[in-house]
Amino acid sequence: MTTGKIRVLVADDQELVRTGFRLILDTQPEMQVVAEAADGVECVELARRLRPDVCLVDIRMPRLNGLEVTRLLAGPELRDPLNVVVITTFDQDDYVASALRAGACGFLLKDASPALLVEAVRAAARGDALISPKVTVRLLRRLEEFERTAADATSGRSELSDRELDIVRLVAIGRTNQEICDELILSLSSVKTYLGRIQGKLGARNRVEIAAWAWKQDVVRPTG
């Protein structure tokens, strides 16, 4: 039955974590946790049967780890991939890069705020991507999948307006759309319009690639 809500599957081997995510997401009027899985095999089986809008998947699970689950559900070779957000307590670059290459459209640490978790689910449901700020500032400048030549980089930067560069910088340090609105005193619709223009000018598919471009071209620098 179609409810009009964003249907979410939560996969984690810790019952307390699953319960916490369910409590956060089920309080959102547009979201519904439709299933929980305690291991990777169960996650794949449930996801293929229920076809949720978003799968929240832990990295370390019994029987099948989160990276393999992501590849099976969202891999680039799949004809009809699912939207997977990987969540972990382990802040390691190789995990993040591997998850994104496996097809994940988001990566969060378990200490992320409830607001960031909700925003990540919304972004994934739209087919967009959101990366935890704690890993964004360090990782995205190292991604190998968004290589640009020096000429392309110079051209792309020169095409962006000052306001667009402001938004790119905030995306690169992990700000959500609402946080960008608050910081730049813009409406949500304006931010979305700017992001669409930025993606077109840079040839970026999502905010992950916008952030990667920013770090590669020194548009923003680490603060820590």
Side-chain angles (χ1 to χ4, degrees):
M1 180 177 64
T2 301
T3 64
K5 294 187 176 185
I6 298 173
R7 301 167 63 252
V8 184
L9 183 154
V10 176
D12 194 290
D13 60 341
Q14 299 181 52
E15 183 177 2
L16 186 60
V17 172
R18 299 197 307 272
T19 300
F21 287 164
R22 177 183 283 275
L23 289 173
I24 292 169
L25 298 176
D26 277 347
T27 60
Q28 304 301 310
E30 80 277 28
M31 296 181 186
Q32 179 185 11
V33 175
V34 295
E36 297 180 17
D39 62 64
V41 172
E42 184 182 18
C43 175
V44 172
E45 292 173 349
L46 285 171
R48 286 174 171 171
R49 176 162 56 88
L50 299 175
R51 303 291 301 178
D53 300 302
V54 179
C55 300
L56 294 178
V57 177
D58 186 27
I59 281 279
R60 294 190 175 180
M61 292 188 293
R63 296 209 286 170
L64 205 61
N65 67 49
L67 296 177
E68 185 63 16
V69 168
T70 301
R71 187 188 66 78
L72 291 172
L73 296 180
E77 75 282 357
L78 297 180
R79 180 174 301 177
D80 190 17
L82 293 170
N83 297 314
V84 175
V85 175
V86 172
I87 301 183
T88 182
T89 56
F90 304 98
D91 183 7
Q92 295 180 214
D93 287 353
D94 57 338
Y95 281 166
V96 188
S98 297
L100 295 177
R101 292 187 182 110
C105 59
F107 190 99
L108 292 180
L109 300 179
K110 286 185 179 177
D111 63 358
S113 68
L116 192 61
L117 173 66
V118 169
E119 183 66 19
V121 170
R122 288 179 180 142
R126 296 191 303 265
D128 206 341
L130 189 149
I131 309 296
S132 180
K134 287 188 177 181
V135 294
T136 300
V137 296
R138 182 185 74 253
L139 171 78
L140 293 180
R141 54 190 167 146
R142 298 175 50 193
L143 288 177
E144 300 174 352
E145 299 166 323
F146 194 57
E147 293 295 338
R148 295 284 184 181
T149 64
D152 287 341
T154 301
S155 174
R157 184 168 183 169
S158 67
E159 290 176 0
L160 296 179
S161 68
D162 290 342
R163 178 59 85 191
E164 288 167 345
L165 283 170
D166 288 340
I167 291 174
V168 166
R169 292 183 184 105
L170 293 175
V171 168
I173 60 173
R175 295 291 191 268
T176 66
N177 285 358
Q178 187 58 57
E179 288 169 337
I180 294 173
C181 292
D182 297 340
E183 190 156 340
L184 299 181
I185 315 178
L186 294 170
S187 68
L188 188 58
S189 61
S190 293
V191 170
K192 290 179 179 178
T193 297
Y194 275 121
L195 285 171
R197 291 174 183 167
I198 291 166
Q199 286 182 215
K201 289 180 178 181
L202 298 182
R205 292 170 296 180
N206 51 49
R207 67 196 299 128
V208 174
E209 292 188 347
I210 292 174
W213 178 88
W215 286 113
K216 285 179 181 294
Q217 309 311 324
D218 290 325
V219 171
V220 62
R221 297 179 182 277
T223 57

